[in-house]
Amino acid sequence: MDCIDALILGIVQGLAEYLPISSSGHLEICREILGLRLAGADALEFDIVLHVATVLSTIVVLWSEFVPLCKSFFTIARDDKFFYVCLSWFRNYRPPV
C-alpha cells in the first residue's frame, strides 16, 4: 500500500464514520476496488490506526465540549438538578423479573 491508497482509505473512513453506515465495511469495499491485498494482521492494524485517528480528530474538533464533559465525569454537582435526576431514576426503577 502506498501513500495515495492510505490517503484514499483515510478519506473514506473520515466521511463514512459519522454516517449511520459501517465505515469498516466501506474500507473493505475500497480495498477491493483499489486492488489492495493486505494480510489479516496488516489490515487490522491499519483499521485500528484509522479509527484511533478518527477519535483523536473528533476530540480536537469538539474540544470545547469534551473538556467540560470530562470534568463533570469526575465531579458531583449536588444542586437541585442532581436530586431531581436521582429521584426520577428511583421512581422509574423497575427491578428485573
Side-chain angles (χ1 to χ4, degrees):
M1 176 185 328
D2 58 354
C3 290
I4 298 297
D5 293 332
L7 181 66
I8 291 170
L9 290 174
I11 290 171
V12 169
Q13 167 70 17
L15 293 175
E17 184 65 33
Y18 300 104
L19 298 174
I21 54 176
S22 172
S23 60
S24 298
H26 280 77
L27 289 176
E28 290 298 322
I29 292 170
C30 284
R31 281 192 192 111
E32 287 296 319
I33 291 172
L34 294 173
L36 298 175
R37 301 288 180 239
L38 293 175
D42 292 336
L44 180 62
E45 181 180 351
F46 187 75
D47 284 354
I48 289 172
V49 168
L50 280 180
H51 283 83
V52 168
T54 302
V55 169
L56 291 176
S57 68
T58 303
I59 290 172
V60 167
V61 169
L62 299 175
W63 185 254
S64 62
E65 295 179 25
F66 182 73
V67 171
L69 182 65
C70 289
K71 286 180 182 177
S72 69
F73 183 75
F74 294 107
T75 60
I76 297 176
R78 294 188 179 251
D79 55 0
D80 55 343
K81 294 177 185 173
F82 173 79
F83 291 111
Y84 175 75
V85 169
C86 290
L87 289 175
S88 65
W89 184 81
F90 282 116
R91 274 189 219 132
N92 295 326
Y93 177 72
R94 301 286 184 262
V97 178

